[in-house]
Amino acid sequence: MKFTCDLKTLNEAVTNISLAVSQRSNITALEGVLLECTGDELTLTGYNLELGIRKTIPVRGEESGNIVLNARIFSDILRKAQSDTIKISTDEKLLTLLSAGNANFTILGISKEEYPDIPQIDESESLSIRSSVLKSMIRQTIFAVAVTDQNPLITGSLFDIKNGNLHIVSVDGYRLALAKETVDYSGEKNFVVPGRTLQEISKLMPDEEEAQVTVQVGNKHIIFIIDGYYVISRLLEGEFLNYNATIPDGATTKLRVKTREFIDIIDRVSIIINDKRKPPVKCELSDGMMSLFCESSIGKVDDQMPVQMEGASLKIGFNNKYMTDALKATEADEIYLEFNGPVSPIKLLPLEGESFLFLVLPVRLKDGN
């Protein structure tokens, strides 16, 4: 294999491909990037048996071939090389010479035969969505993906498509995040994408308004085509939570709050919360005033802010981090908070439309609190 290419283009591709490279693996080849040169095209692949990323870039090819190079070393060479172009050649003993400017690097590669094949899927089930829209939906829901694998299914987000609407739903047992947008897809489909996959594709998605992401869904795998990158991931198998059944109907108390002010007051009363003890924030709603209290072995704090309030007075507790995460994910200046008593989930809603819905489970307060 022998080719010459633009160093900046290759470096950018390898940086992004490396998102799917294993940091440590029993299969040494999975710690590398697969390079396949055919004519004037170079295809690069990173794969960790769960997530794969592939990208093809133009090169000036002299000899077709393939090799697997350690991703960390390869990335370091590309990042530190001082040149506009780089020439890469590999011999029959898998020794790979990389020449950039006055610098020459020789590293031992790995045979392609040791690199596992990436799964293929049926491309007939596909849809397109604006990159900026999908990126925003993921950003609004990824915080509620479970980090434990006690229930592997909730370590991913549900994509639920019905009646031309896409719902992305994440739940970790303490909170629920739902984002909704219209899509150009007439059928019904639902599948669960691992949270790590969603985090990585978010890094690849451009913010340009007209940029599109194509999604191809198979029985066990999904492909995202993003700005020339092909990202393939396994899907999580099983029956996801019936999220509609967890959303309370109506509200006995409803608030309109300024999001930033609410975040700031939670931050202030949370000063005495540490990693060892995490008491709840107690919230009292009465006569258009929200009063927050927190008490721990360190001390106690109280603060209050005026709110637009409808309905009954209420005393309720919540986890400061879970509420703050949800408030930040709204990406709105003002929101509605809806309550159905002290033990029902707290709803966070937009002032208009149905673009998001968040639930935060309350913390039961001890008698007398």
Side-chain angles (χ1 to χ4, degrees):
M1 179 180 74
K2 185 182 294 185
F3 65 86
T4 304
C5 71
D6 180 76
L7 178 61
K8 182 179 179 181
T9 300
L10 180 59
N11 184 35
E12 179 181 336
V14 170
T15 297
N16 290 327
I17 292 296
S18 295
L19 296 173
V21 173
S22 294
Q23 299 300 310
R24 293 181 181 176
S25 174
N26 293 329
I27 304 173
T28 305
L30 291 182
E31 297 177 13
V33 173
L34 170 63
L35 289 75
E36 299 173 285
C37 182
T38 304
D40 289 332
E41 290 187 336
L42 175 69
T43 299
L44 303 114
T45 304
Y47 183 45
N48 60 19
L49 300 182
E50 294 187 357
L51 174 69
I53 303 178
R54 178 169 282 165
K55 171 79 170 179
T56 299
I57 63 173
V59 298
R60 294 193 300 277
E62 299 179 41
E63 183 179 323
S64 297
N66 51 70
I67 194 72
V68 178
L69 299 179
N70 179 274
R72 182 185 61 79
I73 296 174
F74 190 26
S75 294
D76 282 348
I77 290 173
L78 298 178
R79 184 166 47 85
K80 295 179 180 180
Q82 299 293 312
S83 177
D84 292 332
T85 62
I86 185 167
K87 185 172 185 177
I88 299 178
S89 60
T90 299
D91 65 19
E92 65 279 359
K93 295 182 180 179
L94 305 179
L95 285 175
T96 302
L97 173 65
L98 302 93
S99 301
N102 295 322
N104 297 292
F105 308 86
T106 301
I107 58 177
L108 181 63
I110 301 172
S111 170
K112 179 189 173 183
E113 280 64 43
E114 296 185 34
Y115 201 85
D117 292 331
I118 290 184
Q120 303 296 315
I121 70 169
D122 181 3
E123 298 182 5
S124 60
E125 291 286 341
S126 65
L127 64 99
S128 291
I129 184 170
R130 291 207 317 274
S131 173
S132 58
V133 170
L134 182 57
K135 189 172 185 177
S136 176
M137 295 179 76
I138 292 171
R139 187 168 58 240
Q140 286 190 300
T141 54
I142 195 70
F143 75 93
V145 169
V147 295
T148 176
D149 60 358
Q150 291 180 348
N151 180 357
L153 199 61
I154 62 173
T155 62
S157 294
L158 172 69
F159 282 56
D160 188 14
I161 309 171
K162 187 182 300 183
N163 300 324
N165 291 309
L166 166 63
H167 295 80
I168 299 182
V169 185
S170 303
V171 58
D172 65 1
Y174 302 98
R175 52 199 170 167
L176 177 148
L178 182 155
K180 176 184 175 183
E181 292 288 347
T182 58
V183 291
D184 185 15
Y185 185 83
S186 58
E188 294 186 10
K189 199 163 190 68
N190 62 76
F191 47 89
V192 182
V193 183
R196 187 196 166 190
T197 296
L198 297 175
Q199 288 176 330
E200 303 303 3
I201 67 171
S202 292
K203 299 172 185 176
L204 296 176
M205 285 190 286
D207 293 318
E208 287 82 0
E209 187 64 27
E210 299 304 317
Q212 294 282 319
V213 176
T214 299
V215 183
Q216 299 172 349
V217 186
N219 291 327
K220 294 186 176 182
H221 293 85
I222 185 169
I223 291 178
F224 297 90
I225 303 175
I226 306 167
D227 197 26
Y229 289 89
Y230 284 69
V231 183
I232 186 164
S233 169
R234 68 181 180 91
L235 295 172
L236 299 177
E237 299 181 46
E239 194 69 29
F240 200 82
L241 171 76
N242 180 5
Y243 63 91
N244 284 313
T246 68
I247 301 172
D249 291 326
T252 56
T253 307
K254 184 174 182 178
L255 306 183
R256 177 170 175 165
V257 299
K258 294 182 178 179
T259 311
R260 185 70 254 173
E261 288 185 11
F262 194 19
I263 292 172
D264 288 344
I265 192 173
I266 293 172
D267 283 345
R268 286 194 293 273
V269 301
S270 300
I271 288 174
I272 59 173
I273 298 176
N274 56 38
D275 292 335
K276 293 181 180 179
R277 299 199 58 170
K278 297 183 179 180
V281 172
K282 184 174 70 172
C283 174
E284 292 187 6
L285 304 170
S286 182
D287 299 326
M289 190 66 67
M290 173 190 287
S291 301
L292 298 186
F293 308 86
C294 190
E295 183 174 359
S296 73
S297 58
I298 297 173
K300 61 176 69 174
V301 184
D302 65 86
D303 203 343
Q304 58 182 203
M305 61 181 279
V307 293
Q308 296 183 40
M309 177 178 169
E310 299 176 15
S313 298
L314 177 68
K315 183 186 295 184
I316 193 169
F318 59 79
N319 178 287
N320 66 311
K321 182 180 184 305
Y322 294 164
M323 182 61 76
T324 300
D325 286 346
L327 289 166
K328 290 178 178 178
T330 66
E331 301 181 355
D333 293 332
E334 292 185 82
I335 61 165
Y336 287 126
L337 291 173
E338 293 187 354
F339 305 83
N340 256 319
V343 295
S344 182
I346 304 165
K347 287 195 289 188
L348 291 79
L349 301 164
L351 298 187
E352 297 181 358
E354 300 176 334
S355 59
F356 65 80
L357 182 151
F358 303 128
L359 297 182
V360 177
L361 288 186
V363 177
R364 287 183 179 271
L365 300 174
K366 296 179 181 179
D367 292 342
N369 278 5

